[in-house]
Amino acid sequence: MGCSLRLPPVPSLAPPAWLADRFEVFERPSRLAERVAELLEQELSAAPARPLGLATGRTMEPVYDALVQRLLALSPQRLKALQVGWRSFNLDEYIGLGPTDSGSFALEMSRQLVRPLGLEPGCVRLPDGLAEDPSAEASRYAAAVRAAGGIGLQLLGLGSNGHVGFNEPPCGPEAPCRSVELSAATRSHNAVAFAGNPSRVPAGAITLGLEQILGAERILLVVSGSAKAGILARLLREPPGPSLPASWLQGHPGLHLIVDRAALGG
């Protein structure tokens, strides 16, 4: 188990009251990834009544690597039980990309979890980026999440402009699952998966809304790297508001924030 650390006695970095004791800091990103993987394994091993909510992106790559290592080390019987019982919904998918398209989140999940763990692809669900009517697909996807009882544990990263999922600012807490236009900042940040060319990043996506995210039983927000220090500082200091969509998480009683030292600017 990774060992969490106390924050240094610097008032500006002290966890705010709304986090209470639900805040862990790790010196190294590798230890952060191991801790998140541990929590995901615990959730899966408990045979949760509600499905996992999964995320993609660079922050999640080492997390899924660590999770695969942990799960493949289980006994064959326990691994089989997890394979059979796996249920998850991803946050989002690019409009215009399908499961075989480079840069799609469906292909990313196949590479990172489905194939290494021997999961049935239908157990790891994502919006259909190739749907003819993205708005109708968003409604269908929201209905599927609702029919599954909502999300149990929702895994989240923090976007550089404060988005969670693809809920770009400005965004209120009632935002539903929907098709959205991606900001220039988000397309630039995500260009690494598209040969570094922001113009190749799809202009739109289907995303679970804050309505579904805040409806999760528990939320695990993971923030890593010095590039996220500025937006994390805003999240820790600013009151909830539409200019920082992640700030709506502050009112969630099941929020757990896990960060590395670099994300705190240290």
Side-chain angles (χ1 to χ4, degrees):
M1 178 185 299
C3 180
S4 59
L5 304 171
R6 291 183 179 274
L7 284 169
V10 179
S12 62
L13 295 183
W18 52 265
L19 265 179
D21 58 352
R22 297 172 287 130
F23 190 25
E24 295 184 64
V25 185
F26 291 84
E27 290 291 345
R28 301 194 309 278
S30 60
R31 298 297 286 169
L32 175 150
E34 290 167 6
R35 173 58 171 158
V36 177
E38 176 189 26
L39 293 173
L40 291 174
E41 181 192 350
Q42 289 174 0
E43 179 75 5
L44 290 163
S45 298
R50 297 168 70 174
L52 278 176
L54 298 180
T56 48
R58 279 171 281 178
T59 298
M60 300 306 161
E61 291 174 5
V63 168
Y64 292 146
D65 285 345
L67 179 62
V68 167
Q69 292 178 31
R70 293 183 72 92
L71 297 187
L72 292 182
L74 298 174
S75 69
Q77 295 83 1
R78 287 189 63 197
L79 177 59
K80 183 63 176 179
L82 290 179
Q83 291 169 329
V84 171
W86 188 287
R87 295 187 305 152
S88 63
F89 287 87
N90 267 67
L91 283 167
D92 39 37
E93 180 59 283
Y94 291 115
I95 293 173
L97 297 187
T100 62
D101 289 319
S102 178
S104 73
F105 296 141
L107 183 59
E108 190 172 330
M109 294 305 293
S110 178
R111 288 173 174 166
Q112 293 182 359
L113 287 181
V114 175
R115 287 187 292 191
L117 292 176
L119 301 175
E120 290 293 330
C123 296
V124 180
R125 302 176 70 174
L126 298 93
D128 181 4
L130 297 178
E132 290 187 11
D133 185 338
S135 293
E137 170 60 13
S139 296
R140 183 205 65 80
Y141 195 63
V145 171
R146 188 164 54 249
I151 301 299
L153 176 64
Q154 176 65 62
L155 181 63
L156 292 176
L158 178 63
S160 57
N161 63 356
H163 70 247
V164 284
F166 275 135
N167 293 281
E168 301 268 28
C171 183
E174 74 291 337
C177 183
R178 65 206 186 282
S179 63
V180 296
E181 180 179 346
L182 302 181
S183 70
T186 294
R187 295 178 73 193
S188 178
H189 182 78
N190 289 5
V192 65
F194 296 86
N197 186 350
S199 67
R200 293 180 57 185
V201 180
I206 298 169
T207 184
L208 288 181
L210 281 164
E211 175 188 352
Q212 287 79 30
I213 292 171
L214 294 173
E217 290 180 323
R218 295 171 307 287
I219 296 174
L220 185 56
L221 180 61
V222 184
V223 188
S224 178
S226 59
K228 298 294 178 69
I231 197 66
L232 178 59
R234 286 186 59 196
L235 175 63
L236 293 177
R237 295 168 180 157
E238 294 183 14
S243 65
L244 183 59
S247 65
W248 299 114
L249 303 178
Q250 295 178 16
H252 197 290
L255 175 65
H256 192 137
L257 178 59
I258 297 184
V259 306
D260 63 17
R261 185 68 62 179
L264 287 173

